[in-house]
Amino acid sequence: MMSTQSLTDIAGRLRAARRVAVLTGAGVSAESGIPTFRDAMTGLWAKYRPEELATPEAFRRNPALVWQWYAWRHGLVSAAEPNAAHRALAEMERRVPDFTLITQNVDGLHRRAGSQSILELHGSLERACCSRCDVRQPFPAGSGEGGPPPCPACGAPLRPDVVWFGESLPAAALEAALDAAQGCDIFLSDGTSNLVQPAASLPWAAARRGVPVVVVNLTAEGQGGGPNVTYLTGPAGQVLPALVQAAWGGDGDPLASREV
Ligand code: BV8
Ligand code: ZN
């Protein structure tokens, strides 16, 4: 678990910061019951690796399989609730003059927790888009049977509105994320294995400027290091509310204070 000294020190920097940038990964949604990419894929999907399914080639080769995987995940996400980590980040945004939340997650839980300034680097599973024209629509719930539905405009197969491996990230979101990493006073990296590029380069774009980088993760292994990189090890659903509480008082989790 994190040391009280480092938590107090970071809380002080957070409180004094004008501009804060946060990068989140699947670990922030783990306590909402959504399996991370590093977790072994469960049940029907145990024999696949996400990198094998989350590609344009996989969709071209077997659109029904890829669509069913996303329909299964869409069901998980729709039934999930934001957890204390999501709520703490929404509270942090309310406290900080200039706050940017950069997420690799496609589950939409940050928005449902109340975050507003969100950069979805890898798209969103709440939406489907056409594999040929520019139609975008809500992801059709419960569409897991059979293959992808046809686009209502041109009839081509719909696909999840996410960025697959080998696809470019949305340019505007990536540019804004780089700007936040290069202009922030403190950078938090929460619940990510920090392996997937170009998102994985963001914390180090901040660290190279001498900006404090705070890594919140269950483990300090496998992440980059450096003189101004601090690890707060523990579940994001505990560490982030504790950090918000240390910085601004209250109990760090607005919902908890409302629950009677
Ligand atoms: C790109 C959306 C330019 C889809 C995702 C060869 C050919 C082509 C490309 C490449 C190549 N080699 C490398 C690349 C680049 C590639 C890449 O980085 N590959 C990796 C595997 C090396 N990147 C790309 O392809 C990107 N595009 O580069 O475009 C280009 C174009 C053409 C050709 C070349 C280059 C696109 C990357 C985006 C892919 N889409 N998601 C979907 O969701 O299905 S990535 C997906 O995986 C997630 O979005 C996320 O980014 C990543 C998983 O990472 P994490 O979120 O960190 O989750 P993970 O499970 O890994 O880790 C969880 C962490 O949480 C762990 O550290 C764990 O300890 C921690 N944790 C767990 N529980 C908790 C916790 N922490 C705190 N509290 C807890 N309770
Ligand atoms: Zn279409």
Side-chain angles (χ1 to χ4, degrees), residues 106 122-129 136-137 139 159-163:
V106 296
H122 295 160
S124 173
L125 195 42
E126 296 170 295
R127 299 187 301 269
C129 59
R136 248 178 192 78
Q137 64 168 65
F139 192 95
R159 55 164 282 179
D161 191 15
V162 300
V163 179

Side-chain angles (χ1 to χ4, degrees), residues 42-126:
T42 52
L44 175 65
W45 307 105
K47 56 182 183 286
Y48 299 101
R49 288 187 325 112
E51 289 83 1
E52 291 164 351
L53 293 176
T55 68
E57 296 74 27
F59 187 70
R60 262 195 297 279
R61 205 173 38 248
N62 192 339
L65 177 73
V66 173
W67 181 266
Q68 283 159 18
W69 181 50
Y70 281 94
W72 171 71
R73 289 174 61 194
H74 182 263
L76 277 185
V77 162
S78 307
E81 288 298 327
N83 67 60
H86 298 107
R87 293 193 295 269
L89 290 172
E91 180 64 14
M92 199 182 288
E93 179 176 0
R94 289 187 280 269
R95 302 280 191 164
V96 167
D98 184 341
F99 184 89
T100 305
L101 177 59
I102 307 158
T103 189
Q104 301 171 91
N105 299 340
V106 296
D107 57 34
L109 291 182
H110 284 303
R111 195 173 312 284
R112 286 172 52 193
S115 291
Q116 295 183 355
S117 165
I118 306 172
L119 298 172
E120 291 178 326
L121 291 187
H122 295 160
S124 173
L125 195 42
E126 296 170 295

Side-chain angles (χ1 to χ4, degrees), residues 139-164:
F139 192 95
S143 60
E145 297 310 316
C151 164
C154 76
L158 290 181
R159 55 164 282 179
D161 191 15
V162 300
V163 179
W164 278 329

Side-chain angles (χ1 to χ4, degrees), residues 129-135 150-158:
C129 59
C130 178
S131 53
R132 180 164 56 199
C133 75
D134 57 4
V135 155
C151 164
C154 76
L158 290 181

Side-chain angles (χ1 to χ4, degrees), residues 168-245:
S168 300
L169 275 60
L174 182 56
E175 194 179 327
L178 281 167
D179 180 66
Q182 285 161 353
C184 64
D185 303 315
I186 184 169
F187 193 103
L188 276 70
S189 174
D190 304 336
T192 178
S193 58
N194 226 39
L195 293 172
V196 174
Q197 294 297 352
S201 60
L202 291 168
W204 318 126
R208 273 198 299 276
R209 295 173 37 241
V211 167
V213 171
V214 180
V215 178
V216 175
N217 201 302
L218 293 178
T219 159
E221 271 94 57
Q223 307 260 355
N228 48 2
V229 179
T230 309
Y231 288 91
L232 294 180
T233 48
Q238 292 172 23
V239 173
L240 289 172
L243 188 53
V244 170
Q245 182 183 21

